[in-house]
Amino acid sequence: MEVVIKKRKTEASILGAKIIAKQIKLKYDSVLGFATGSSPLLLYNELVRMHREEKLSFNKITTFNLDEYVGLDPNHKSSYHSEMNTNLFSRINISQNSINLPNGCAPNIPLFCQEYENSIKTAGGIDIQLLGIGKDGHLAFNEPGSSLASRTRIKTLTKVTIEANRKYFSDVEQMPTHVLTMGIGTIMEAKQTILLAFGENKADAVKKMIEGPVSTSCPASILQFHEHAIILLDEGAASKLARKEHYIEVYSNKPKWQQWE
Ligand code: GLP
């Protein structure tokens, strides 16, 4: 795990965008895993800026999103399809055919989930998977108690997550309690992961993820087993880490050839 602590979320987000841009420049047809929620928004803005001002091109990349609500029309304004379109896809030169999100309206959900897994494999696997973390330590929509070997499937949201996400629905009655999500096993197969966490309200989950035992009680703690997991934090999210000073020292003393900035 590489833990990077920046003063502000803007700096951490810009760094995340730099890592993704570097990957695209290295491999123009990269496979990128994207996430929703508030955490990646500044990173997406920076990718859009790089596209507009630095001609970063997305026209050969393929994307797979982590999750989607079950039963919500993709055109619904609170669907993750809409969120991704608004925040990123409509603002860059990506081909519509290269965008993949779980279909929460699939008539046969187990079949769809199997096909989603197959599509990721056929695309050659995910080069970089972007992630956020829930206040309860969830990864994508893998809530506490999820199998650490799980694959794409249907899940039921916890009360904590329903409470956190209801702000995205004008009518809370419309908020589904079921979701489709990549499994933890699926996420762990990405060649690299970048997790973003900002604000003090994530500090407990971040501490458990980085310094707690690996456990289904904090699904994100599985990243301790990932070969190439980068955790980008602001000071609020890092505030409860026991080894905070050490992570800062390690990052500021990285050999030049390992640096991104
Ligand atoms: C949501 C999403 C996750 C996201 C997390 C944190 O429910 N399913 O993929 O990482 O919760 O969201 P936020 O970034 O808004 O705090």
Side-chain angles (χ1 to χ4, degrees):
M1 257 183 175
E2 180 168 15
V3 181
V4 183
I5 303 166
K6 293 282 180 184
K7 209 174 176 60
R8 277 178 271 278
K9 66 177 177 181
T10 319
E11 295 161 61
S13 303
I14 290 176
L15 177 55
K18 271 188 188 154
I19 300 170
I20 291 177
K22 194 170 171 192
Q23 168 68 33
I24 297 173
K25 286 175 194 160
L26 206 68
K27 184 180 163 208
Y28 66 93
D29 58 350
S30 288
V31 179
L32 300 177
F34 283 132
T36 44
S38 57
S39 305
L41 291 179
L42 292 174
L43 185 152
Y44 292 154
N45 282 348
E46 178 63 9
L47 288 179
V48 172
R49 190 200 63 74
M50 288 170 165
H51 168 61
R52 290 183 182 155
E53 296 176 15
E54 296 168 13
K55 303 204 169 15
L56 179 67
S57 180
F58 296 82
N59 69 338
K60 294 284 183 227
I61 68 159
T62 301
T63 70
F64 288 91
N65 257 76
L66 289 169
D67 42 21
E68 180 56 287
Y69 292 100
V70 167
L72 207 61
D73 190 280
N75 294 316
H76 189 285
K77 65 176 181 353
S78 303
S79 76
Y80 283 169
H81 281 75
S82 300
E83 192 176 314
M84 285 307 298
N85 260 331
T86 309
N87 297 326
L88 185 66
F89 297 145
S90 65
R91 305 163 74 201
I92 56 174
N93 65 331
I94 187 167
S95 143
Q96 284 299 315
N97 299 332
S98 310
I99 297 171
N100 299 281
L101 281 97
N103 177 4
C105 292
N108 183 337
I109 285 182
L111 179 66
F112 174 82
C113 292
Q114 186 56 54
E115 286 172 356
Y116 202 65
E117 291 277 338
N118 294 345
S119 310
I120 295 173
K121 285 204 175 73
T122 308
I126 293 173
D127 291 302
I128 296 185
Q129 176 64 58
L130 201 59
L131 297 163
I133 183 172
K135 265 177 74 175
D136 56 3
H138 74 227
L139 210 51
F141 270 135
N142 294 284
E143 298 282 26
S146 295
S147 157
L148 298 179
S150 51
R151 313 302 306 189
T152 303
R153 69 212 183 292
I154 191 166
K155 288 293 286 178
T156 309
L157 296 178
T158 59
K159 290 204 166 52
V160 176
T161 304
I162 292 172
E163 201 45 54
N165 286 8
R166 61 193 297 166
K167 60 177 180 278
Y168 296 110
F169 291 82
S170 48
D171 177 2
V172 83
E173 295 297 305
Q174 286 181 8
M175 185 179 170
T177 52
H178 287 87
V179 290
L180 296 189
T181 180
M182 274 189 207
I184 297 178
T186 322
I187 293 167
M188 287 295 283
E189 280 172 10
K191 290 159 200 147
Q192 185 176 347
T193 61
I194 301 176
L195 185 142
L196 305 169
F198 306 129
E200 277 176 23
N201 69 332
K202 295 288 174 75
D204 285 318
V206 164
K207 180 168 176 54
K208 278 192 192 158
M209 164 177 68
I210 298 173
E211 296 178 340
V214 173
S215 158
T216 56
S217 302
C218 177
S221 64
I222 191 67
L223 292 173
Q224 292 178 33
F225 276 119
H226 198 284
E227 209 184 340
H228 199 172
I230 300 168
I231 315 290
L232 301 180
L233 307 173
D234 67 356
E235 285 196 335
S239 57
K240 294 196 174 162
L241 290 171
R243 289 188 291 273
K244 184 178 164 196
E245 298 313 320
H246 178 65
Y247 306 131
I248 294 172
E249 195 188 325
V250 170
Y251 187 69
S252 53
N253 286 299
K254 267 178 101 158
K256 224 180 175 49
W257 56 270
Q258 270 192 338
Q259 292 174 8
W260 299 301
E261 344 180 47

mmCIF file of all heavy atoms in Angstrom, residues 35-40 66-67 69 80 131-134 138-141 161 165 167-168 202, ligand 1:
data_model
loop_
_atom_site.group_PDB
_atom_site.id
_atom_site.type_symbol
_atom_site.label_atom_id
_atom_site.label_comp_id
_atom_site.label_asym_id
_atom_site.label_seq_id
_atom_site.Cartn_x
_atom_site.Cartn_y
_atom_site.Cartn_z
ATOM 1 N N ALA A 35 -15.232 5.159 -10.674
ATOM 2 C CA ALA A 35 -16.067 5.104 -9.471
ATOM 3 C C ALA A 35 -16.980 6.325 -9.440
ATOM 4 O O ALA A 35 -16.690 7.329 -10.086
ATOM 5 C CB ALA A 35 -15.175 5.117 -8.237
ATOM 6 N N THR A 36 -18.036 6.232 -8.674
ATOM 7 C CA THR A 36 -18.948 7.376 -8.519
ATOM 8 C C THR A 36 -18.850 7.908 -7.084
ATOM 9 O O THR A 36 -17.958 7.515 -6.352
ATOM 10 C CB THR A 36 -20.391 6.953 -8.858
ATOM 11 O OG1 THR A 36 -20.613 5.692 -8.225
ATOM 12 C CG2 THR A 36 -20.590 6.838 -10.345
ATOM 13 N N GLY A 37 -19.770 8.783 -6.729
ATOM 14 C CA GLY A 37 -19.701 9.397 -5.408
ATOM 15 C C GLY A 37 -18.979 10.731 -5.508
ATOM 16 O O GLY A 37 -18.551 11.142 -6.594
ATOM 17 N N SER A 38 -18.828 11.406 -4.374
ATOM 18 C CA SER A 38 -18.231 12.744 -4.414
ATOM 19 C C SER A 38 -16.703 12.698 -4.481
ATOM 20 O O SER A 38 -16.079 13.627 -4.998
ATOM 21 C CB SER A 38 -18.677 13.543 -3.182
ATOM 22 O OG SER A 38 -18.297 12.823 -2.016
ATOM 23 N N SER A 39 -16.100 11.640 -3.994
ATOM 24 C CA SER A 39 -14.627 11.610 -3.899
ATOM 25 C C SER A 39 -13.895 11.803 -5.230
ATOM 26 O O SER A 39 -12.892 12.505 -5.271
ATOM 27 C CB SER A 39 -14.170 10.320 -3.220
ATOM 28 O OG SER A 39 -14.805 10.199 -1.977
ATOM 29 N N PRO A 40 -14.344 11.194 -6.357
ATOM 30 C CA PRO A 40 -13.555 11.357 -7.589
ATOM 31 C C PRO A 40 -13.863 12.615 -8.403
ATOM 32 O O PRO A 40 -13.271 12.811 -9.462
ATOM 33 C CB PRO A 40 -13.913 10.100 -8.410
ATOM 34 C CG PRO A 40 -15.128 9.523 -7.809
ATOM 35 C CD PRO A 40 -15.433 10.221 -6.541
ATOM 36 N N LEU A 66 -17.790 0.635 -11.283
ATOM 37 C CA LEU A 66 -17.906 -0.308 -10.177
ATOM 38 C C LEU A 66 -19.316 -0.811 -9.922
ATOM 39 O O LEU A 66 -19.512 -1.988 -9.621
ATOM 40 C CB LEU A 66 -17.444 0.371 -8.880
ATOM 41 C CG LEU A 66 -15.965 0.650 -8.700
ATOM 42 C CD1 LEU A 66 -15.760 1.557 -7.491
ATOM 43 C CD2 LEU A 66 -15.211 -0.659 -8.510
ATOM 44 N N ASP A 67 -20.303 0.102 -10.005
ATOM 45 C CA ASP A 67 -21.599 -0.288 -9.461
ATOM 46 C C ASP A 67 -22.764 0.531 -10.028
ATOM 47 O O ASP A 67 -22.552 1.538 -10.714
ATOM 48 C CB ASP A 67 -21.588 -0.198 -7.919
ATOM 49 C CG ASP A 67 -20.885 1.061 -7.397
ATOM 50 O OD1 ASP A 67 -20.759 2.032 -8.168
ATOM 51 O OD2 ASP A 67 -20.476 1.070 -6.236
ATOM 52 N N TYR A 69 -27.363 1.163 -9.211
ATOM 53 C CA TYR A 69 -28.574 0.800 -8.463
ATOM 54 C C TYR A 69 -29.441 -0.153 -9.272
ATOM 55 O O TYR A 69 -29.560 -0.003 -10.494
ATOM 56 C CB TYR A 69 -29.395 2.059 -8.143
ATOM 57 C CG TYR A 69 -28.713 2.976 -7.160
ATOM 58 C CD1 TYR A 69 -28.030 4.101 -7.595
ATOM 59 C CD2 TYR A 69 -28.753 2.690 -5.798
ATOM 60 C CE1 TYR A 69 -27.397 4.944 -6.682
ATOM 61 C CE2 TYR A 69 -28.116 3.532 -4.886
ATOM 62 C CZ TYR A 69 -27.443 4.640 -5.330
ATOM 63 O OH TYR A 69 -26.813 5.459 -4.431
ATOM 64 N N TYR A 80 -26.036 5.957 -11.628
ATOM 65 C CA TYR A 80 -24.591 6.135 -11.804
ATOM 66 C C TYR A 80 -24.244 6.315 -13.289
ATOM 67 O O TYR A 80 -23.221 6.921 -13.608
ATOM 68 C CB TYR A 80 -23.837 4.964 -11.176
ATOM 69 C CG TYR A 80 -23.755 5.067 -9.656
ATOM 70 C CD1 TYR A 80 -23.314 4.005 -8.882
ATOM 71 C CD2 TYR A 80 -24.093 6.246 -8.996
ATOM 72 C CE1 TYR A 80 -23.218 4.104 -7.493
ATOM 73 C CE2 TYR A 80 -24.004 6.356 -7.618
ATOM 74 C CZ TYR A 80 -23.571 5.271 -6.870
ATOM 75 O OH TYR A 80 -23.470 5.382 -5.500
ATOM 76 N N LEU A 131 -11.175 4.092 -6.827
ATOM 77 C CA LEU A 131 -12.062 3.668 -5.742
ATOM 78 C C LEU A 131 -12.313 4.805 -4.751
ATOM 79 O O LEU A 131 -11.458 5.688 -4.597
ATOM 80 C CB LEU A 131 -11.412 2.521 -4.949
ATOM 81 C CG LEU A 131 -11.131 1.218 -5.690
ATOM 82 C CD1 LEU A 131 -10.136 0.381 -4.890
ATOM 83 C CD2 LEU A 131 -12.421 0.445 -5.927
ATOM 84 N N GLY A 132 -13.448 4.734 -4.090
ATOM 85 C CA GLY A 132 -13.693 5.571 -2.915
ATOM 86 C C GLY A 132 -13.876 4.607 -1.749
ATOM 87 O O GLY A 132 -13.733 3.387 -1.910
ATOM 88 N N ILE A 133 -14.199 5.131 -0.610
ATOM 89 C CA ILE A 133 -14.472 4.253 0.550
ATOM 90 C C ILE A 133 -15.700 4.784 1.273
ATOM 91 O O ILE A 133 -15.865 6.005 1.413
ATOM 92 C CB ILE A 133 -13.241 4.174 1.495
ATOM 93 C CG1 ILE A 133 -13.490 3.205 2.657
ATOM 94 C CG2 ILE A 133 -12.825 5.548 2.012
ATOM 95 C CD1 ILE A 133 -12.248 2.927 3.511
ATOM 96 N N GLY A 134 -16.557 3.887 1.696
ATOM 97 C CA GLY A 134 -17.733 4.303 2.460
ATOM 98 C C GLY A 134 -17.347 4.551 3.917
ATOM 99 O O GLY A 134 -16.312 4.069 4.386
ATOM 100 N N HIS A 138 -16.948 0.324 3.186
ATOM 101 C CA HIS A 138 -17.307 -0.415 1.969
ATOM 102 C C HIS A 138 -16.480 0.028 0.771
ATOM 103 O O HIS A 138 -16.012 1.166 0.680
ATOM 104 C CB HIS A 138 -18.817 -0.394 1.691
ATOM 105 C CG HIS A 138 -19.389 0.892 1.182
ATOM 106 N ND1 HIS A 138 -20.531 1.448 1.712
ATOM 107 C CD2 HIS A 138 -19.013 1.728 0.183
ATOM 108 C CE1 HIS A 138 -20.813 2.564 1.063
ATOM 109 N NE2 HIS A 138 -19.903 2.753 0.122
ATOM 110 N N LEU A 139 -16.319 -0.931 -0.130
ATOM 111 C CA LEU A 139 -15.572 -0.718 -1.361
ATOM 112 C C LEU A 139 -16.563 -0.977 -2.487
ATOM 113 O O LEU A 139 -17.190 -2.041 -2.499
ATOM 114 C CB LEU A 139 -14.461 -1.776 -1.390
ATOM 115 C CG LEU A 139 -13.139 -1.497 -2.086
ATOM 116 C CD1 LEU A 139 -12.524 -0.191 -1.635
ATOM 117 C CD2 LEU A 139 -12.167 -2.638 -1.818
ATOM 118 N N ALA A 140 -16.710 -0.009 -3.413
ATOM 119 C CA ALA A 140 -17.818 -0.057 -4.381
ATOM 120 C C ALA A 140 -19.086 -0.195 -3.534
ATOM 121 O O ALA A 140 -19.298 0.607 -2.631
ATOM 122 C CB ALA A 140 -17.645 -1.166 -5.376
ATOM 123 N N PHE A 141 -19.905 -1.227 -3.761
ATOM 124 C CA PHE A 141 -21.045 -1.436 -2.851
ATOM 125 C C PHE A 141 -20.880 -2.752 -2.097
ATOM 126 O O PHE A 141 -21.857 -3.407 -1.740
ATOM 127 C CB PHE A 141 -22.364 -1.399 -3.616
ATOM 128 C CG PHE A 141 -22.977 -0.020 -3.726
ATOM 129 C CD1 PHE A 141 -23.495 0.422 -4.935
ATOM 130 C CD2 PHE A 141 -23.071 0.825 -2.625
ATOM 131 C CE1 PHE A 141 -24.081 1.682 -5.050
ATOM 132 C CE2 PHE A 141 -23.658 2.086 -2.730
ATOM 133 C CZ PHE A 141 -24.163 2.516 -3.946
ATOM 134 N N THR A 161 -25.172 3.292 4.461
ATOM 135 C CA THR A 161 -24.991 3.717 3.066
ATOM 136 C C THR A 161 -26.253 4.392 2.537
ATOM 137 O O THR A 161 -26.171 5.391 1.821
ATOM 138 C CB THR A 161 -24.604 2.501 2.187
ATOM 139 O OG1 THR A 161 -23.435 1.914 2.758
ATOM 140 C CG2 THR A 161 -24.327 2.902 0.760
ATOM 141 N N ASN A 165 -26.220 8.165 1.031
ATOM 142 C CA ASN A 165 -26.480 8.411 -0.396
ATOM 143 C C ASN A 165 -27.859 8.984 -0.698
ATOM 144 O O ASN A 165 -28.147 9.322 -1.843
ATOM 145 C CB ASN A 165 -26.300 7.106 -1.199
ATOM 146 C CG ASN A 165 -24.822 6.747 -1.341
ATOM 147 O OD1 ASN A 165 -23.971 7.377 -0.721
ATOM 148 N ND2 ASN A 165 -24.518 5.755 -2.140
ATOM 149 N N LYS A 167 -29.010 11.782 -0.214
ATOM 150 C CA LYS A 167 -28.942 13.177 -0.698
ATOM 151 C C LYS A 167 -28.935 13.253 -2.228
ATOM 152 O O LYS A 167 -29.229 14.284 -2.808
ATOM 153 C CB LYS A 167 -27.712 13.885 -0.124
ATOM 154 C CG LYS A 167 -26.371 13.259 -0.481
ATOM 155 C CD LYS A 167 -25.209 14.090 0.088
ATOM 156 C CE LYS A 167 -23.845 13.508 -0.251
ATOM 157 N NZ LYS A 167 -23.393 12.427 0.628
ATOM 158 N N TYR A 168 -28.594 12.127 -2.892
ATOM 159 C CA TYR A 168 -28.554 12.126 -4.359
ATOM 160 C C TYR A 168 -29.943 11.913 -4.970
ATOM 161 O O TYR A 168 -30.099 11.944 -6.182
ATOM 162 C CB TYR A 168 -27.605 11.042 -4.877
ATOM 163 C CG TYR A 168 -26.158 11.297 -4.475
ATOM 164 C CD1 TYR A 168 -25.521 10.479 -3.537
ATOM 165 C CD2 TYR A 168 -25.441 12.362 -5.014
ATOM 166 C CE1 TYR A 168 -24.202 10.719 -3.159
ATOM 167 C CE2 TYR A 168 -24.123 12.610 -4.636
ATOM 168 C CZ TYR A 168 -23.517 11.785 -3.704
ATOM 169 O OH TYR A 168 -22.219 12.027 -3.328
ATOM 170 N N LYS A 202 -14.256 10.393 7.041
ATOM 171 C CA LYS A 202 -13.734 9.118 6.524
ATOM 172 C C LYS A 202 -12.547 8.597 7.359
ATOM 173 O O LYS A 202 -12.007 7.535 7.078
ATOM 174 C CB LYS A 202 -13.265 9.299 5.069
ATOM 175 C CG LYS A 202 -14.376 9.628 4.062
ATOM 176 C CD LYS A 202 -15.260 8.436 3.792
ATOM 177 C CE LYS A 202 -16.444 8.769 2.909
ATOM 178 N NZ LYS A 202 -16.110 8.937 1.514
HETATM 179 C C1 GLP B 1 -20.866 5.027 -2.608
HETATM 180 C C2 GLP B 1 -20.285 4.256 -3.802
HETATM 181 C C3 GLP B 1 -18.826 3.974 -3.616
HETATM 182 C C4 GLP B 1 -18.187 5.232 -3.077
HETATM 183 C C5 GLP B 1 -18.623 5.453 -1.668
HETATM 184 C C6 GLP B 1 -18.164 6.782 -1.071
HETATM 185 O O1 GLP B 1 -21.959 4.464 -2.048
HETATM 186 N N1 GLP B 1 -20.950 3.070 -4.163
HETATM 187 O O2 GLP B 1 -18.243 3.533 -4.828
HETATM 188 O O3 GLP B 1 -16.795 5.096 -3.090
HETATM 189 O O4 GLP B 1 -20.003 5.262 -1.518
HETATM 190 O O5 GLP B 1 -18.872 7.853 -1.585
HETATM 191 P P1 GLP B 1 -18.378 9.360 -1.480
HETATM 192 O O6 GLP B 1 -17.180 9.444 -2.366
HETATM 193 O O7 GLP B 1 -19.514 10.187 -1.989
HETATM 194 O O8 GLP B 1 -18.040 9.599 -0.076
#
